[in-house]
Amino acid sequence: MTFLLRLARAIDALNEALGRPVAWLILGAVALAVISAIGRKAGFGSNALIEGQWYFFAAVFLLGAGHTLKRDEHVRIDVLAKRLSPRTRAGIELAGHLLFLLPLCGVLIVLGAENAWAAFRASEMSADAGGLPRWPVLALIPAGFLLLALQVLAASIHRLAVLTGHEAVPAATKEDGHGA
């Protein structure tokens, strides 16, 4: 279990290190929105600026998903779960991670990579005049779901550690003060 917990902490550190700079892409999206709006009024706007905003937002959403899970800040409905013991919650979350979330990530990594590769090979461009190439934003899909899958693996290890008595509460609760 020691090796698995070290692996989980390394994955946690990876998503923490990537999540913080990715959040700054929101500022880039806002800057592009301002430039695009001014450009439209001044007669020099472009579809590339608008699509750049979408690309930045896609990067934040996809590349930040693992960071969000790591910090336990994802959307959840815990009307019943908050009344359960940490061990019971850990068991339910472990089952959900392994039965649903990890397989979903695997499918989206494979399909996303195939789609991004096809767009790259075909030099697929936006259908809009002056638009951007499509493969970079499509490559964010497998990259983002790979980061999420790694974090699901780390979260699963932490939940298993709770179930086996190696951790008292899941890592996000201890480190960040968030609930599990």
Side-chain angles (χ1 to χ4, degrees), residues 18-149:
L18 290 174
R20 292 174 191 254
V22 162
W24 283 97
L25 293 178
I26 294 171
L27 183 60
V30 170
L32 284 179
V34 169
I35 293 166
S36 179
I38 292 169
R40 279 194 310 271
K41 294 294 182 188
F44 66 86
S46 78
N47 287 331
L49 290 172
I50 295 169
E51 289 180 10
Q53 294 171 55
W54 301 341
Y55 284 27
F56 278 173
F57 180 73
V60 169
F61 178 78
L62 289 164
L63 300 178
H67 181 256
T68 302
L69 179 63
K70 186 255 176 220
R71 296 179 63 96
D72 202 30
E73 294 178 345
H74 53 287
V75 175
R76 71 167 65 219
I77 301 171
D78 61 356
V79 174
L80 297 176
K82 66 182 174 183
R83 297 178 187 177
L84 302 174
S85 72
R87 262 180 78 89
T88 303
R89 278 195 316 265
I92 292 169
E93 290 175 4
L94 179 61
H97 289 163
L98 297 179
L99 295 174
F100 301 107
L101 192 51
L102 200 56
L104 174 69
C105 288
V107 168
L108 290 170
I109 290 166
V110 170
L111 295 178
E114 289 173 357
N115 196 23
W117 181 245
F120 176 77
R121 280 194 333 248
S123 299
E124 184 179 339
M125 295 292 292
S126 169
D128 296 323
L132 299 174
R134 287 288 186 218
W135 70 265
V137 75
L138 293 174
L140 290 172
I141 296 169
F145 278 99
L146 176 61
L147 290 170
L148 180 59

